[in-house]
Amino acid sequence: MIIANEKQQKLLLEVGTLDLAIGRAQTNLTEAEHSDSVESIRKQLLETSEALLQAHANQENLQSDINKIASDVELVEARIQRDLEKAKQVSSEREQKAVNQELESLKIRLSNLEDSELELMEALELAKVEVVKITQQRTQLNLELESELAKQNGQTLTLSAQLTELSEKRERAFTQLDEELQKLYNRKASRGIAVAQTLGRDCSACRLSINAVNFESMMAEPADHLPTCPNCDAMIIR
Ligand SMILES: [Zn+2]
């Protein structure tokens, strides 16, 4: 039979209650440190970072295609210029015809190149708009992340302060316990909840009902006796 006077029993209950509160505070702190919204924003930032790389690459490819076409246009224009000069100088009708045919096909080639250039320039405008859009999205996400982190940091600080306060209180109560009760408490706490109370005939630690006979004899014991729950072995403070 465990013997503990009223003051020691009160201290046991206090330590037990504080340990439960410390456990809850620790869970809350862990949750605050792993905020879902922060994770979600970080994920979106990663995704938009890939999208931005792709949009930049797309823009660069279009620009290099346009540069290539522009230099083709220059070449074709130079050849047209040369053929026009040549057309003035040729003497035979056969040569004249050949130059005219070449000029004809060069003009078609030039027109095709200019069409392609125009299409590419329109695509480039869209690509630039896409880059700006993603950049703005990322700016917005970064702002959200900053604000979420500040919120998270605030919560974490508050919870850490609570945890420190609870732990100090717990230590103050625990050191006032008799050494035997300290050892007993630690042994029981390592296996589960060390201290319980009764809720009707239920044990507050395991939530199981204590049978009527056990309950009656438990209640009939002297005040400085400390019964234990027949189900979970927690010390029951009556
Ligand atoms: Zn129990």
Side-chain angles (χ1 to χ4, degrees), residues 109-123:
R109 169 99 178 109
L110 183 63
S111 158
N112 286 343
L113 281 172
E114 282 169 346
D115 285 351
S116 305
E117 194 178 22
L118 211 62
E119 271 175 35
L120 285 170
M121 281 167 121
E122 279 167 14

Side-chain angles (χ1 to χ4, degrees), residues 139-157:
T139 307
Q140 185 59 34
L141 284 169
N142 272 315
L143 285 175
E144 281 173 32
L145 181 62
E146 235 170 73
S147 124
E148 279 301 320
L149 283 175
K151 210 162 83 187
Q152 186 191 48
N153 195 28
Q155 281 172 347
T156 307
L157 283 178

Side-chain angles (χ1 to χ4, degrees), residues 3 9 13 24-25 29 41 64 72 80-82 89 100-101 112 131 140 152 168 181-182 188 192 195:
I3 305 291
Q9 290 194 28
L13 187 59
R24 278 194 299 271
L29 183 59
I41 296 171
S64 99
D72 284 352
I80 288 174
Q81 207 51 48
R82 229 172 33 233
Q89 289 157 14
N100 283 346
Q101 261 175 3
N112 286 343
V131 167
Q140 185 59 34
Q152 186 191 48
E168 284 168 2
L181 286 175
Q182 286 185 350
K188 286 182 186 290
V195 176

Side-chain angles (χ1 to χ4, degrees), residues 193 196-197 202-210 228-236:
I193 300 178
Q197 283 188 295
D202 292 353
C203 158
S204 69
C206 63
R207 303 276 159 178
L208 293 175
S209 178
I210 300 163
T228 55
C229 168
N231 302 310
C232 71
D233 205 36
M235 295 178 270
I236 299 217

Side-chain angles (χ1 to χ4, degrees), residues 155-166:
Q155 281 172 347
T156 307
L157 283 178
T158 310
L159 288 167
S160 300
Q162 274 175 10
L163 203 51
T164 308
E165 199 188 322
L166 286 169

